[in-house]
Amino acid sequence: MANVINGLPIILIDLIDLYKWIIIIYCFMSWLPGAATSKLGVFIGRMVDPFLGIFDRFIPPILGISFSPIFAFIVLDLLARFIGMIF
């Protein structure tokens, strides 16, 4: 049981890092025409859109450029640091 508790923060931080990479892939896919409508694009969009939508409500896109991924990265980084501090 102690090994699970010791490994939990590492697993959570790794999952946060993986989610950051998924957001990066999502951002790059927005530059490619038709990538967002592919099966992979739809799948990644379903994973990322709800989280980025939170930030889009408060910070609307400016001139068609969404800054929600930047704020999502800040929140995810703060969450990872918080997990590291607790455990």
Side-chain angles (χ1 to χ4, degrees):
M1 184 69 178
N3 289 337
V4 174
I5 293 174
N6 290 337
L8 186 63
I10 296 169
I11 293 170
L12 290 175
I13 291 171
D14 287 346
L15 287 174
I16 290 171
D17 288 339
L18 177 66
Y19 196 68
K20 285 180 184 179
W21 279 106
I22 293 171
I23 291 173
I24 290 171
I25 292 169
Y26 179 77
C27 292
F28 282 134
M29 287 179 68
S30 70
W31 295 352
L32 303 172
T37 58
S38 69
K39 288 184 180 182
L40 178 64
V42 170
F43 177 70
I44 291 176
R46 286 183 184 168
M47 291 173 48
V48 173
D49 279 338
F51 186 61
L52 294 181
I54 295 169
F55 302 103
D56 281 333
R57 282 186 231 139
F58 299 108
I59 305 142
I62 300 171
L63 298 175
I65 299 172
S66 176
F67 292 99
S68 60
I70 295 170
F71 291 101
F73 267 79
I74 292 170
V75 169
L76 289 173
D77 189 49
L78 290 173
L79 181 63
R81 289 177 189 234
F82 182 70
I83 291 171
M85 284 178 14
I86 289 177
F87 294 101

Coordinates of all heavy atoms in Angstrom, one line a residue:
M1 N 0.8 -1.2 0.0 CA 0.0 0.0 0.0 C 0.9 1.3 0.0 O 0.5 2.2 -0.6 CB -0.9 0.0 1.2 CG -1.9 1.1 1.3 SD -3.1 0.9 0.0 CE -4.1 2.3 0.3
A2 N 2.0 1.2 0.7 CA 2.9 2.4 0.8 C 3.5 2.7 -0.6 O 3.7 3.9 -0.9 CB 4.0 2.2 1.8
N3 N 3.7 1.6 -1.4 CA 4.3 1.9 -2.7 C 3.3 2.6 -3.6 O 3.7 3.4 -4.5 CB 4.7 0.5 -3.3 CG 5.9 -0.1 -2.7 OD1 6.7 0.7 -2.0 ND2 6.1 -1.4 -2.8
V4 N 2.0 2.2 -3.5 CA 1.0 2.9 -4.3 C 0.9 4.4 -3.9 O 0.8 5.2 -4.8 CB -0.3 2.2 -4.1 CG1 -1.4 3.0 -4.8 CG2 -0.3 0.8 -4.6
I5 N 0.9 4.7 -2.7 CA 0.8 6.1 -2.2 C 2.1 6.9 -2.6 O 2.0 8.0 -3.0 CB 0.6 6.1 -0.7 CG1 -0.8 5.5 -0.4 CG2 0.7 7.6 -0.2 CD1 -1.0 5.4 1.1
N6 N 3.3 6.2 -2.6 CA 4.5 6.9 -3.0 C 4.5 7.1 -4.5 O 5.1 8.1 -5.0 CB 5.7 6.1 -2.6 CG 5.9 6.1 -1.1 OD1 5.4 7.0 -0.4 ND2 6.6 5.1 -0.6
G7 N 3.9 6.2 -5.3 CA 3.9 6.4 -6.7 C 2.8 7.2 -7.3 O 2.9 7.6 -8.4
L8 N 1.8 7.5 -6.5 CA 0.6 8.2 -7.0 C 1.0 9.6 -7.5 O 0.5 10.0 -8.6 CB -0.4 8.3 -5.9 CG -1.8 8.9 -6.3 CD1 -2.4 8.1 -7.4 CD2 -2.7 9.0 -5.1
P9 N 1.8 10.4 -6.8 CA 2.1 11.7 -7.3 C 2.8 11.7 -8.6 O 2.6 12.5 -9.5 CB 2.9 12.4 -6.2 CG 3.1 11.4 -5.2 CD 2.3 10.2 -5.5
I10 N 3.7 10.7 -8.8 CA 4.5 10.6 -10.0 C 3.5 10.3 -11.2 O 3.6 10.8 -12.3 CB 5.5 9.5 -9.9 CG1 6.6 9.9 -8.8 CG2 6.2 9.2 -11.2 CD1 7.5 8.9 -8.4
I11 N 2.6 9.4 -10.9 CA 1.6 9.0 -12.0 C 0.7 10.2 -12.3 O 0.5 10.5 -13.5 CB 0.7 7.8 -11.5 CG1 1.6 6.6 -11.4 CG2 -0.5 7.6 -12.4 CD1 0.9 5.4 -10.7
L12 N 0.3 11.0 -11.3 CA -0.6 12.1 -11.6 C 0.2 13.2 -12.4 O -0.4 13.8 -13.3 CB -1.1 12.7 -10.3 CG -2.1 11.9 -9.5 CD1 -2.5 12.5 -8.2 CD2 -3.4 11.7 -10.4
I13 N 1.4 13.4 -12.0 CA 2.2 14.4 -12.7 C 2.5 14.0 -14.1 O 2.5 14.8 -15.1 CB 3.5 14.7 -11.9 CG1 3.2 15.5 -10.6 CG2 4.5 15.6 -12.7 CD1 4.3 15.7 -9.7
D14 N 2.8 12.7 -14.3 CA 3.0 12.2 -15.7 C 1.7 12.3 -16.5 O 1.8 12.6 -17.7 CB 3.4 10.7 -15.6 CG 4.9 10.6 -15.2 OD1 5.6 11.6 -15.2 OD2 5.3 9.5 -14.8
L15 N 0.5 12.1 -15.9 CA -0.7 12.2 -16.6 C -1.0 13.7 -17.0 O -1.5 14.0 -18.1 CB -1.9 11.7 -15.8 CG -2.0 10.2 -15.7 CD1 -3.1 9.8 -14.7 CD2 -2.2 9.6 -17.1
I16 N -0.6 14.6 -16.1 CA -0.7 16.0 -16.5 C 0.2 16.4 -17.6 O -0.2 17.1 -18.5 CB -0.4 16.9 -15.2 CG1 -1.6 16.7 -14.2 CG2 -0.2 18.4 -15.6 CD1 -1.3 17.4 -12.8
D17 N 1.4 15.9 -17.6 CA 2.4 16.1 -18.7 C 1.8 15.5 -20.0 O 2.0 16.2 -21.1 CB 3.7 15.5 -18.4 CG 4.5 16.3 -17.3 OD1 4.1 17.5 -17.1 OD2 5.4 15.7 -16.7
L18 N 1.2 14.4 -20.0 CA 0.7 13.8 -21.2 C -0.5 14.6 -21.7 O -0.6 14.8 -22.9 CB 0.1 12.3 -20.8 CG -0.6 11.6 -22.0 CD1 0.4 11.3 -23.1 CD2 -1.2 10.3 -21.4
Y19 N -1.3 15.1 -20.8 CA -2.4 16.0 -21.2 C -1.9 17.3 -21.8 O -2.5 17.8 -22.8 CB -3.3 16.3 -20.0 CG -4.6 16.9 -20.4 CD1 -5.6 16.1 -21.1 CD2 -5.0 18.2 -20.1 CE1 -6.8 16.6 -21.4 CE2 -6.2 18.7 -20.5 CZ -7.1 17.9 -21.1 OH -8.3 18.4 -21.5
K20 N -0.8 17.8 -21.3 CA -0.1 19.0 -22.0 C 0.3 18.7 -23.4 O 0.1 19.5 -24.3 CB 1.1 19.4 -21.2 CG 0.8 20.1 -19.9 CD 2.1 20.5 -19.2 CE 1.9 21.1 -17.8 NZ 3.2 21.5 -17.2
W21 N 0.8 17.5 -23.6 CA 1.2 17.1 -25.0 C 0.0 17.0 -25.9 O 0.1 17.3 -27.1 CB 2.1 15.8 -25.0 CG 3.5 16.1 -24.6 CD1 4.1 15.8 -23.4 CD2 4.5 16.7 -25.4 NE1 5.4 16.2 -23.5 CE2 5.7 16.8 -24.7 CE3 4.4 17.3 -26.7 CZ2 6.8 17.4 -25.2 CZ3 5.6 17.8 -27.2 CH2 6.8 17.9 -26.5
I22 N -1.1 16.5 -25.3 CA -2.3 16.4 -26.1 C -2.8 17.8 -26.5 O -3.3 18.0 -27.7 CB -3.4 15.6 -25.4 CG1 -2.9 14.1 -25.2 CG2 -4.7 15.6 -26.1 CD1 -3.8 13.3 -24.3
I23 N -2.7 18.7 -25.6 CA -3.1 20.1 -26.0 C -2.2 20.7 -27.0 O -2.6 21.4 -28.0 CB -3.0 21.0 -24.7 CG1 -4.2 20.6 -23.7 CG2 -3.2 22.5 -25.0 CD1 -4.1 21.3 -22.4
I24 N -0.9 20.4 -27.0 CA 0.1 20.8 -28.0 C -0.3 20.3 -29.4 O -0.3 21.0 -30.4 CB 1.5 20.5 -27.6 CG1 2.0 21.3 -26.4 CG2 2.5 20.7 -28.8 CD1 3.3 20.9 -25.8
I25 N -0.6 19.0 -29.4 CA -1.0 18.3 -30.7 C -2.3 19.0 -31.2 O -2.4 19.2 -32.4 CB -1.2 16.8 -30.4 CG1 0.2 16.2 -30.2 CG2 -1.8 16.1 -31.6 CD1 0.1 14.7 -29.7
Y26 N -3.2 19.2 -30.3 CA -4.5 19.9 -30.7 C -4.2 21.3 -31.3 O -4.8 21.6 -32.3 CB -5.4 20.0 -29.4 CG -6.7 20.7 -29.7 CD1 -7.7 20.0 -30.3 CD2 -6.9 22.0 -29.3 CE1 -8.9 20.6 -30.5 CE2 -8.1 22.6 -29.5 CZ -9.1 21.9 -30.1 OH -10.3 22.5 -30.3
C27 N -3.3 22.0 -30.7 CA -3.0 23.3 -31.2 C -2.3 23.2 -32.6 O -2.6 24.0 -33.5 CB -2.0 24.1 -30.3 SG -2.8 24.5 -28.7
F28 N -1.4 22.3 -32.8 CA -0.8 22.1 -34.1 C -1.8 21.6 -35.2 O -1.7 22.0 -36.3 CB 0.4 21.1 -34.0 CG 1.6 21.7 -33.5 CD1 2.4 21.1 -32.5 CD2 2.1 23.0 -33.9 CE1 3.5 21.6 -32.0 CE2 3.2 23.5 -33.3 CZ 3.9 22.9 -32.4
M29 N -2.8 20.8 -34.7 CA -3.8 20.3 -35.7 C -4.7 21.5 -36.2 O -5.2 21.4 -37.3 CB -4.6 19.2 -35.0 CG -3.9 17.9 -34.9 SD -4.8 16.7 -34.1 CE -6.1 16.4 -35.3
S30 N -4.8 22.5 -35.4 CA -5.6 23.7 -35.8 C -4.9 24.4 -37.0 O -5.6 25.1 -37.7 CB -5.8 24.6 -34.7 OG -4.6 25.3 -34.3
W31 N -3.6 24.2 -37.2 CA -2.9 24.8 -38.3 C -3.1 24.1 -39.6 O -2.9 24.6 -40.7 CB -1.5 25.0 -38.0 CG -1.1 25.9 -36.9 CD1 -2.0 26.8 -36.2 CD2 0.1 26.1 -36.3 NE1 -1.3 27.4 -35.3 CE2 0.0 27.1 -35.3 CE3 1.4 25.5 -36.5 CZ2 1.0 27.5 -34.5 CZ3 2.4 26.0 -35.7 CH2 2.3 26.9 -34.7
L32 N -3.4 22.8 -39.5 CA -3.5 21.9 -40.7 C -5.0 21.8 -41.2 O -5.8 21.5 -40.4 CB -3.0 20.5 -40.4 CG -1.5 20.5 -39.9 CD1 -1.2 19.1 -39.4 CD2 -0.6 20.9 -40.9
P33 N -5.2 22.1 -42.4 CA -6.6 22.1 -42.9 C -7.1 20.6 -42.9 O -6.5 19.7 -43.4 CB -6.5 22.6 -44.3 CG -5.1 22.6 -44.7 CD -4.3 22.5 -43.5
G34 N -8.3 20.4 -42.3 CA -8.9 19.1 -42.3 C -8.5 18.2 -41.2 O -9.0 17.1 -41.0
A35 N -7.4 18.6 -40.5 CA -6.9 17.7 -39.4 C -7.9 17.6 -38.2 O -8.0 16.6 -37.6 CB -5.6 18.2 -38.9
A36 N -8.6 18.7 -38.0 CA -9.6 18.7 -36.8 C -10.8 17.9 -37.1 O -11.5 17.4 -36.2 CB -10.0 20.1 -36.5
T37 N -11.1 17.6 -38.4 CA -12.3 16.8 -38.8 C -11.9 15.3 -39.0 O -12.8 14.5 -39.2 CB -12.9 17.3 -40.0 OG1 -12.0 17.4 -41.1 CG2 -13.4 18.8 -39.8
S38 N -10.6 15.0 -38.9 CA -10.3 13.6 -39.0 C -10.7 12.8 -37.7 O -11.0 13.4 -36.7 CB -8.7 13.4 -39.2 OG -8.0 13.8 -38.0
K39 N -10.6 11.5 -37.7 CA -11.0 10.7 -36.5 C -10.1 11.1 -35.4 O -10.5 11.2 -34.2 CB -10.9 9.2 -36.8 CG -12.0 8.8 -37.7 CD -12.0 7.3 -37.9 CE -13.1 6.8 -38.8 NZ -13.1 5.4 -39.0
L40 N -8.8 11.2 -35.6 CA -7.9 11.6 -34.5 C -8.2 13.0 -34.0 O -8.1 13.2 -32.8 CB -6.4 11.5 -35.0 CG -5.3 11.9 -34.0 CD1 -5.4 10.9 -32.8 CD2 -4.0 11.9 -34.7
G41 N -8.4 13.9 -34.9 CA -8.7 15.3 -34.5 C -10.0 15.4 -33.7 O -10.1 16.1 -32.7
V42 N -11.0 14.6 -34.1 CA -12.3 14.6 -33.3 C -12.0 14.0 -31.9 O -12.5 14.5 -30.9 CB -13.4 13.8 -34.1 CG1 -14.6 13.6 -33.2 CG2 -13.7 14.6 -35.3
F43 N -11.2 12.9 -31.9 CA -10.9 12.3 -30.6 C -10.2 13.2 -29.7 O -10.5 13.4 -28.5 CB -10.1 11.0 -30.8 CG -9.7 10.3 -29.6 CD1 -10.6 9.7 -28.8 CD2 -8.4 10.3 -29.2 CE1 -10.3 9.0 -27.6 CE2 -8.0 9.7 -28.0 CZ -8.9 9.0 -27.2
I44 N -9.2 13.9 -30.2 CA -8.4 14.8 -29.4 C -9.2 16.0 -29.0 O -9.1 16.5 -27.9 CB -7.1 15.2 -30.1 CG1 -6.1 14.0 -30.2 CG2 -6.4 16.4 -29.4 CD1 -4.9 14.3 -31.0
G45 N -10.1 16.5 -29.9 CA -11.0 17.6 -29.6 C -11.9 17.3 -28.5 O -12.2 18.1 -27.6
R46 N -12.4 16.0 -28.4 CA -13.3 15.6 -27.3 C -12.6 15.6 -26.0 O -13.2 15.8 -24.9 CB -13.9 14.3 -27.6 CG -14.9 14.3 -28.6 CD -15.5 12.9 -28.8 NE -16.5 12.9 -29.8 CZ -17.0 11.8 -30.3 NH1 -16.7 10.6 -29.9 NH2 -17.9 11.9 -31.3
M47 N -11.3 15.3 -26.0 CA -10.5 15.3 -24.8 C -10.1 16.7 -24.3 O -10.0 17.0 -23.1 CB -9.2 14.5 -25.0 CG -9.5 13.0 -25.2 SD -8.0 12.0 -25.6 CE -6.8 12.6 -24.4
V48 N -9.9 17.6 -25.2 CA -9.3 18.9 -24.9 C -10.3 20.0 -24.8 O -10.2 20.9 -24.0 CB -8.2 19.2 -25.9 CG1 -7.6 20.6 -25.7 CG2 -7.0 18.2 -25.8
D49 N -11.3 20.0 -25.7 CA -12.3 21.1 -25.8 C -13.0 21.5 -24.5 O -13.1 22.6 -24.2 CB -13.3 20.8 -26.9 CG -12.8 21.2 -28.3 OD1 -11.9 22.0 -28.4 OD2 -13.3 20.6 -29.3
P50 N -13.4 20.5 -23.7 CA -14.1 20.9 -22.4 C -13.2 21.7 -21.5 O -13.6 22.6 -20.9 CB -14.5 19.5 -21.8 CG -14.6 18.6 -22.9 CD -13.5 19.0 -23.9
F51 N -11.9 21.3 -21.4 CA -11.0 22.0 -20.5 C -10.6 23.4 -21.1 O -10.6 24.4 -20.3 CB -9.7 21.2 -20.3 CG -8.8 21.7 -19.3 CD1 -9.1 21.9 -18.0 CD2 -7.5 22.1 -19.7 CE1 -8.3 22.4 -17.1 CE2 -6.6 22.6 -18.8 CZ -7.0 22.8 -17.4
L52 N -10.4 23.4 -22.4 CA -10.0 24.7 -23.0 C -11.3 25.7 -23.0 O -11.1 26.9 -23.0 CB -9.5 24.6 -24.4 CG -8.1 23.9 -24.5 CD1 -7.7 23.8 -25.9 CD2 -7.1 24.5 -23.6
G53 N -12.4 25.1 -23.1 CA -13.7 25.9 -23.1 C -13.9 26.7 -21.8 O -14.5 27.7 -21.9
I54 N -13.4 26.2 -20.7 CA -13.4 26.9 -19.5 C -12.7 28.2 -19.6 O -13.2 29.3 -19.2 CB -12.8 26.1 -18.3 CG1 -13.6 24.8 -18.1 CG2 -12.7 26.9 -17.1 CD1 -12.9 23.8 -17.2
F55 N -11.5 28.2 -20.2 CA -10.8 29.4 -20.4 C -11.3 30.3 -21.5 O -11.2 31.6 -21.4 CB -9.3 29.1 -20.6 CG -8.7 28.3 -19.5 CD1 -8.5 26.9 -19.7 CD2 -8.4 28.8 -18.3 CE1 -8.0 26.1 -18.7 CE2 -7.9 28.1 -17.3 CZ -7.7 26.7 -17.5
D56 N -11.9 29.7 -22.5 CA -12.5 30.5 -23.6 C -13.7 31.4 -23.1 O -14.0 32.4 -23.7 CB -13.0 29.6 -24.8 CG -11.8 29.2 -25.6 OD1 -10.8 29.9 -25.7 OD2 -11.9 28.1 -26.3
R57 N -14.4 30.9 -22.1 CA -15.5 31.7 -21.5 C -15.0 33.0 -20.9 O -15.7 34.0 -21.0 CB -16.2 30.9 -20.5 CG -17.1 29.9 -21.1 CD -18.0 29.2 -20.0 NE -17.8 27.8 -20.3 CZ -17.7 26.9 -19.3 NH1 -17.7 27.2 -18.1 NH2 -17.6 25.6 -19.6
F58 N -13.8 33.0 -20.3 CA -13.3 34.1 -19.6 C -12.4 35.0 -20.5 O -12.3 36.2 -20.4 CB -12.5 33.7 -18.4 CG -13.3 33.0 -17.3 CD1 -13.2 31.7 -17.1 CD2 -14.3 33.7 -16.6 CE1 -14.0 31.0 -16.2 CE2 -15.1 33.0 -15.7 CZ -14.9 31.7 -15.5
I59 N -11.7 34.3 -21.4 CA -10.7 35.0 -22.3 C -11.1 34.7 -23.7 O -10.7 33.6 -24.3 CB -9.3 34.6 -22.0 CG1 -9.0 34.8 -20.6 CG2 -8.3 35.3 -22.9 CD1 -8.1 33.7 -20.0
P60 N -11.9 35.5 -24.4 CA -12.3 35.2 -25.7 C -11.2 35.3 -26.7 O -10.2 36.0 -26.4 CB -13.4 36.3 -26.0 CG -13.1 37.4 -25.1 CD -12.5 36.8 -23.9
P61 N -11.3 34.6 -27.8 CA -10.2 34.7 -28.8 C -10.1 36.1 -29.3 O -11.0 36.9 -29.5 CB -10.7 33.8 -30.0 CG -11.6 32.9 -29.3 CD -12.3 33.6 -28.2
I62 N -8.8 36.6 -29.5 CA -8.5 37.9 -30.0 C -8.0 37.8 -31.5 O -7.0 37.1 -31.7 CB -7.5 38.6 -29.1 CG1 -8.1 38.7 -27.7 CG2 -7.2 40.0 -29.7 CD1 -7.1 39.2 -26.7
L63 N -8.7 38.4 -32.4 CA -8.4 38.3 -33.8 C -8.3 36.9 -34.3 O -7.4 36.5 -35.1 CB -7.1 39.1 -34.1 CG -7.1 40.6 -33.8 CD1 -5.7 41.2 -34.0 CD2 -8.1 41.3 -34.7
G64 N -9.1 36.0 -33.8 CA -9.1 34.6 -34.2 C -8.1 33.7 -33.5 O -8.0 32.6 -33.8
I65 N -7.3 34.3 -32.6 CA -6.3 33.5 -31.9 C -6.7 33.3 -30.5 O -7.0 34.2 -29.7 CB -4.9 34.3 -31.9 CG1 -4.4 34.5 -33.3 CG2 -3.9 33.5 -31.1 CD1 -3.2 35.4 -33.4
S66 N -6.8 32.0 -30.1 CA -7.2 31.6 -28.8 C -6.0 31.5 -27.8 O -5.0 30.9 -28.2 CB -8.0 30.3 -28.8 OG -8.3 29.9 -27.5
F67 N -6.1 32.2 -26.7 CA -5.0 32.1 -25.7 C -5.4 31.1 -24.6 O -4.6 31.1 -23.6 CB -4.8 33.5 -25.1 CG -4.3 34.5 -26.2 CD1 -5.1 35.4 -26.8 CD2 -2.9 34.5 -26.5 CE1 -4.6 36.3 -27.7 CE2 -2.4 35.4 -27.4 CZ -3.2 36.3 -28.0
S68 N -6.4 30.4 -24.8 CA -6.8 29.4 -23.7 C -5.8 28.3 -23.5 O -5.6 27.9 -22.4 CB -8.2 28.8 -24.1 OG -8.1 28.1 -25.3
P69 N -5.0 27.8 -24.5 CA -4.0 26.9 -24.2 C -2.9 27.4 -23.3 O -2.4 26.6 -22.5 CB -3.4 26.5 -25.6 CG -4.5 26.8 -26.6 CD -5.2 28.0 -26.0
I70 N -2.6 28.6 -23.4 CA -1.5 29.2 -22.6 C -2.0 29.2 -21.1 O -1.2 28.8 -20.2 CB -1.2 30.7 -23.0 CG1 -0.6 30.7 -24.4 CG2 -0.3 31.3 -22.0 CD1 -0.4 32.0 -25.0
F71 N -3.2 29.6 -20.9 CA -3.7 29.6 -19.5 C -4.0 28.2 -19.0 O -3.8 27.9 -17.8 CB -5.0 30.5 -19.4 CG -4.8 31.9 -19.6 CD1 -5.0 32.5 -20.8 CD2 -4.2 32.7 -18.6 CE1 -4.7 33.9 -21.0 CE2 -3.9 34.0 -18.7 CZ -4.2 34.6 -20.0
A72 N -4.3 27.3 -19.9 CA -4.5 25.9 -19.5 C -3.1 25.3 -19.1 O -3.1 24.6 -18.1 CB -5.0 25.1 -20.7
F73 N -2.1 25.7 -19.8 CA -0.7 25.2 -19.4 C -0.3 25.8 -18.0 O 0.3 25.1 -17.2 CB 0.3 25.7 -20.4 CG 0.6 24.7 -21.4 CD1 -0.3 24.5 -22.5 CD2 1.7 23.8 -21.4 CE1 -0.1 23.6 -23.5 CE2 1.9 22.9 -22.3 CZ 1.1 22.7 -23.4
I74 N -0.7 27.0 -17.7 CA -0.4 27.6 -16.4 C -1.1 26.9 -15.3 O -0.5 26.5 -14.3 CB -0.7 29.1 -16.5 CG1 0.2 29.9 -17.4 CG2 -0.7 29.7 -15.0 CD1 -0.2 31.3 -17.7
V75 N -2.4 26.6 -15.5 CA -3.2 25.9 -14.5 C -2.7 24.5 -14.3 O -2.5 24.0 -13.2 CB -4.7 25.9 -14.9 CG1 -5.5 25.0 -14.0 CG2 -5.2 27.3 -14.8
L76 N -2.4 23.8 -15.4 CA -1.8 22.4 -15.3 C -0.5 22.4 -14.6 O -0.2 21.5 -13.8 CB -1.8 21.8 -16.7 CG -3.1 21.4 -17.3 CD1 -2.9 20.9 -18.7 CD2 -3.8 20.4 -16.5
D77 N 0.3 23.4 -14.9 CA 1.7 23.5 -14.2 C 1.5 23.8 -12.7 O 2.2 23.1 -11.9 CB 2.5 24.6 -14.9 CG 3.9 24.5 -14.4 OD1 4.5 23.4 -14.3 OD2 4.4 25.6 -14.0
L78 N 0.6 24.7 -12.4 CA 0.3 24.9 -11.0 C -0.2 23.7 -10.3 O 0.1 23.4 -9.1 CB -0.6 26.1 -10.8 CG -0.1 27.5 -11.2 CD1 -1.2 28.5 -11.2 CD2 1.0 27.9 -10.3
L79 N -1.1 23.0 -10.9 CA -1.6 21.7 -10.4 C -0.5 20.7 -10.1 O -0.5 20.1 -9.1 CB -2.7 21.2 -11.3 CG -3.4 19.9 -10.8 CD1 -4.2 20.1 -9.5 CD2 -4.3 19.4 -11.9
A80 N 0.4 20.5 -11.1 CA 1.5 19.6 -10.9 C 2.4 20.0 -9.8 O 2.8 19.2 -9.0 CB 2.3 19.5 -12.2
R81 N 2.7 21.3 -9.7 CA 3.5 21.8 -8.6 C 2.8 21.6 -7.2 O 3.4 21.2 -6.2 CB 3.8 23.3 -8.7 CG 4.8 23.5 -9.8 CD 5.0 25.0 -10.0 NE 5.8 25.3 -11.2 CZ 6.9 26.0 -11.2 NH1 7.3 26.5 -10.1 NH2 7.5 26.2 -12.4
F82 N 1.5 21.8 -7.2 CA 0.7 21.6 -6.0 C 0.8 20.1 -5.5 O 0.9 19.8 -4.4 CB -0.7 22.0 -6.2 CG -1.6 21.9 -5.0 CD1 -1.4 22.7 -3.9 CD2 -2.6 20.9 -4.9 CE1 -2.2 22.6 -2.7 CE2 -3.4 20.8 -3.8 CZ -3.2 21.6 -2.7
I83 N 0.6 19.2 -6.5 CA 0.7 17.8 -6.2 C 2.1 17.4 -5.7 O 2.2 16.6 -4.8 CB 0.3 16.9 -7.5 CG1 -1.1 17.1 -7.8 CG2 0.7 15.5 -7.3 CD1 -1.6 16.5 -9.1
G84 N 3.1 18.0 -6.3 CA 4.5 17.8 -5.9 C 4.7 18.3 -4.5 O 5.5 17.6 -3.7
M85 N 4.1 19.4 -4.1 CA 4.3 19.9 -2.7 C 3.6 19.1 -1.7 O 4.1 18.9 -0.6 CB 3.8 21.4 -2.7 CG 4.7 22.3 -3.3 SD 4.1 24.1 -3.3 CE 2.8 24.1 -2.2
I86 N 2.4 18.6 -2.0 CA 1.6 17.8 -1.1 C 2.2 16.5 -0.8 O 2.3 16.1 0.4 CB 0.2 17.6 -1.6 CG1 -0.6 18.9 -1.6 CG2 -0.6 16.6 -0.8 CD1 -2.0 18.8 -2.1
F87 N 2.7 15.8 -1.8 CA 3.3 14.5 -1.6 C 4.8 14.7 -1.5 O 5.6 13.9 -1.3 CB 2.9 13.5 -2.7 CG 1.4 13.2 -2.7 CD1 0.6 13.9 -3.6 CD2 0.9 12.3 -1.8 CE1 -0.8 13.6 -3.7 CE2 -0.5 12.0 -1.9 CZ -1.3 12.7 -2.8

